[in-house]
Amino acid sequence: MSNYQNILSKSGHLSKAVSLNGYEFDMESNQWKLNKDTSVNLEFVHYFDTSIQEDIRSTLVYFAEQNSAGYTASLQQALNRYRKDTGALVFSELGLLSFKSTLGKKGEPVLACLRTFLKQMRALGYNALDDTCLELLDGWRLSGGERGIPVLSLCPKYGPFSDYEFEAISDGLNNHYAEKRITNEEYTVTQLF
């Protein structure tokens, strides 16, 4: 956030943002509802050094506006875990190395989230991360976690639709079309998907 935006925000003129899913939230609030299922709690930001609190909040606003609510929540969880696991008030080499060793190999996806957040914070022009920390982060090779598990395990929540679910969707679509509750265009586009 620029100084101009900060001034407007403090005066109450610019404290609202809109998530990628179209949900309006107050940037100054500690609770952001980013979609119907996802809220992000920012109370943990107050435990960081005051010099970087606004940088963290503004970077999270960027992610909330540009990325999914679930991804923004993952970043919030990674930041909160960094704070809890290291007790650090700022982002430092010692804190990052300590966090990496605490997480181990299985925690690399959490570390990858934190790295993405910190690199974007730096790209946005905030100075919460110095050059040595950036070099350290760039030198790490991290796994993004296992992929494809929901599909392979046919997870009912995150996996693919079953044959019965596809049939139910098709039947519902056909019924709505027959009742003229959807247009030709809506029917065609939905069938394509």
Side-chain angles (χ1 to χ4, degrees), residues 76-102:
Q76 175 266 332
Q77 291 164 6
L79 286 162
N80 194 21
R81 187 154 178 201
Y82 170 83
R83 183 197 58 80
K84 285 181 178 177
D85 288 359
T86 65
L89 302 177
V90 295
F91 301 108
S92 65
E93 278 185 276
L94 179 62
L96 292 170
L97 288 169
S98 172
F99 191 51
K100 184 178 185 203
S101 67
T102 300

Side-chain angles (χ1 to χ4, degrees), residues 119-191:
K119 289 178 81 170
Q120 184 61 48
M121 183 188 294
R122 181 67 181 249
L124 291 171
Y126 301 118
N127 297 319
L129 193 68
D130 62 23
D131 291 336
T132 55
C133 289
L134 189 61
E135 287 174 23
L136 176 67
L137 292 173
D138 285 338
W140 288 346
R141 299 292 167 246
L142 305 172
S143 67
E146 296 179 4
R147 303 279 189 232
I149 300 294
V151 173
L152 293 174
S153 66
L154 299 175
C155 175
K157 185 172 182 180
Y158 299 108
F161 288 125
S162 70
D163 291 341
Y164 295 117
E165 290 170 320
F166 273 122
E167 190 176 322
I169 291 168
S170 180
D171 288 346
L173 179 64
N174 290 336
N175 289 339
H176 278 73
Y177 183 70
E179 296 169 359
K180 301 204 183 301
R181 292 171 57 188
I182 59 174
T183 66
N184 288 342
E185 182 179 304
E186 292 168 330
Y187 179 78
T188 304
V189 169
T190 306
Q191 283 286 39

Side-chain angles (χ1 to χ4, degrees), residues 55-95:
D55 296 351
I56 293 170
R57 186 176 290 274
S58 297
T59 306
L60 279 170
V61 168
Y62 168 84
F63 279 105
E65 292 175 333
Q66 303 297 320
N67 295 92
S68 72
Y71 187 65
T72 305
S74 296
L75 295 170
Q76 175 266 332
Q77 291 164 6
L79 286 162
N80 194 21
R81 187 154 178 201
Y82 170 83
R83 183 197 58 80
K84 285 181 178 177
D85 288 359
T86 65
L89 302 177
V90 295
F91 301 108
S92 65
E93 278 185 276
L94 179 62

